[in-house]
Amino acid sequence: MADMGLPPNRPRILVALVGLLSLTVGACSWSTPELDPDLPEAALTSAVYAADGTLITELHGEENRKPVTYDAIPQVLIDAVIAIEDERYWLHNGVDVRGVIRAASENATAGGVQQGGSTITQQYVKNALVGDEQTVNRKVREAALALQLEQDYSKEVILELYLNTIYFGRGVYGVESASLEYFGTSVGDLDLTQAALLAGLIRSPVSTDPYVSPDLAIGRRDLVLDRMAELGYLTADESASAIAEPLVLAPEFDNTESYPAAHFVEEVKAFILDDPTFGETWEDRRDLLFTGGLRILTTIDLEQQTLAEEAVAAVLPTEGEPPEASVVSIEPGTGYVRAMVGGQDFFADTDTAKYNLATGKGRQAGSAFKPLVLAAALQNRVIPVTHVYDAPSTLEIPLPGNREWKVSNYGGAGGGRVTMVEATVRSYNTSYAQLIMDTGPDLAASVATDMGITTPLQAVPSLVLGSNDVTPLDMANSFATLANRGVKVDPVYVTRVTRPDGTVLWEHTHEQTKVLDAEVADQVTWVLSQVVRRGTGSRARLEGRDVAGKTGTAQDWKDAWFVGFTPELATSVWVGFPEGQISMTPPLTPIRVTGGSWPAEIWATYMEPALGLGAEEPRAFPAPPPSTTSTTALEDTVLAVQPVVGLRSDVAEEVLGALGFEVTVIEIDSAERPAGYVVAQSPPGGTEVQGGSNVILEITRRSATDGFLVPNVLGLTADAARSELRANAFAVEIITESGGDGVPETVWSQTPAGGELLAAGNTVTVRVNP
């Protein structure tokens, strides 16, 4: 044979030809029972959508597949595939003897495998039904099933099945996924050269990967174009023109390519995997999620998500190793989670990147937990909101077992007696320590759980100061209960799940539980609005909107919070180090981080544009009922007068009016305060009087034309100095810098100095010792 000039491998090819012919004849003559080609369901890619229907990402297992109907596949791709894989497809009955002979002859002439002998029908049977084990029995069964498949199904159906299941490399199956992978376009938009390249990939998708081996891919594409011309699908000129085209691909897909709201998507996955509605076992639910072609409609608003991420990036420093932040935003009436920042970069190459700070173990909430205890006390008629407690800077409370609980206010503030309104506005720990002892830790923990806290709570007195770990999701949800006037709605991630054919598999049903009286929720909301208007949460103010919220700072500045809401949206912000509880103090951070600093700034930076996305007018909080008629079971009409000196007159009148007092205003001239501010009140703040009594306010009528007197804030804490200066209509810049007598956390320098005149709105710069 060698003397005949045959290619060296031709004897082996001829042997293979004889074997193929034998198998074909055997399949045609093999007497078999009726083989039911029970076609398996192909693994389909699931999709996760935002609330407005925008695709967020796709979920798939080993097979990334998006099925399309035969009618959606362009003729040019059908022609290309048939030309290179099975040119007699429309003529044979599943097994093509002539095709086997032709392929063997052409392969022998070429000195290698250029064409295969298996028909498209046989290839589908091998891929979907019998596998690729190299045994005679498997090959005979493949041929027999191919013959029967062609009896039971039309050529178009078989071709649709084939083109939706064939592997194209890079983890993608089917022509739709391949079109998107290589060209960034749907299969229906493929042009001739693109169709030819995909058809060429079928035989050897790895070795002809166009990103890795572009020359081999082009060579294979051009072979397809030549075959199409030979078979009459193209003219010679059309083929030559297409062959001259350069290879143009979509940007190479990166398996780690990011997508928005990635931490939220992980919660969506967990929702499906944990719910028995989607399968009896976890494995069943996993298979459905990653291969069932589900269409999952979620509650996330991608515009709000982007704004939340941008707010974090805008406020947190970028130098060194700054802390992380979590933001969770919930719609109060529906429970829909509209934004969830679980960390700055889910796709970063760090140990903590994929850990969801919004839903994980949780962190200590500090004083942000106080409103939940206040709600418990008011709901159970323990005290009215106007109840007066001592507010010493330090307090020792006896506990069972001859123990003492020592409580201190932040920065040594306090002194005198205050109502619970003022105790909340100033976040006095010593007043709230007395409240938890009167209310009881068990009752407080129970109400907090009812309001939306899902992490286990230790019912201990320090609970009121946020000693328990809670998550940003739970804090947002519990404050959403206040915004929803005492009605709790559990957080919602998903609203509908459908099958690939549109059949609804699961749909969200709205459920709600009344956990607080509306009057109680309204009173707590009003108190928290004062925190933002004139207290520790002043950086969270929004122009033209009602805002309520509470700051929280864990011990040693290891966690910092601001949780707040408007009638439309409840949002929690946590700032800290994901690695653990690390003090956020200089030099590790440029400032000593409290809830009123970065968290409140992130909150306002996000909320202002997020609320502006809607077309509706800003809504107002309901007016709170008088404390004496709604929160006390003691029928005690003695109230404590709220201290309002330094407030704007409208704010002071609102505060006193909401507590049931009559207000008389006396205008006086003053060069020390801007016009419209309270400079004196009678009775003084903290005085206990009969409910409904008259409170006289002295309010400035006019101010000096050349400015106002700058108050002296030397020796005050940063927060106290800020409050004092803002009450006098000045802007404030605080710089942490050592100096003066070195007393920690106190102001040692201010510019302009106290007593100087300065126009309203100008900035007073103060320097505070670290």
Side-chain angles (χ1 to χ4, degrees), residues 263 305 308-309 312 325-328 339-344 356-358:
H263 288 101
Q305 178 71 23
E309 294 171 357
V312 171
S326 173
V327 180
V328 178
M340 176 180 284
V341 179
Q344 289 196 61
N356 192 346
L357 296 168

Side-chain angles (χ1 to χ4, degrees), residues 672-743:
E672 298 180 355
R673 301 265 182 163
Y677 277 77
V678 179
V679 293
Q681 71 178 89
S682 178
T687 304
E688 295 182 349
V689 299
Q690 191 75 17
S693 296
N694 184 261
V695 179
I696 300 172
L697 303 180
E698 291 185 1
I699 297 174
T700 52
R701 179 167 51 203
R702 65 178 180 81
S703 56
T705 56
D706 54 351
F708 310 124
L709 292 177
V710 176
N712 185 351
V713 295
L714 296 178
L716 299 182
T717 64
D719 285 342
R722 182 185 294 108
S723 297
E724 179 69 16
L725 291 167
R726 284 182 172 175
N728 285 270
F730 298 121
V732 185
E733 178 185 13
I734 295 180
I735 299 174
T736 302
E737 181 180 296
S738 297
D741 56 10
V743 177

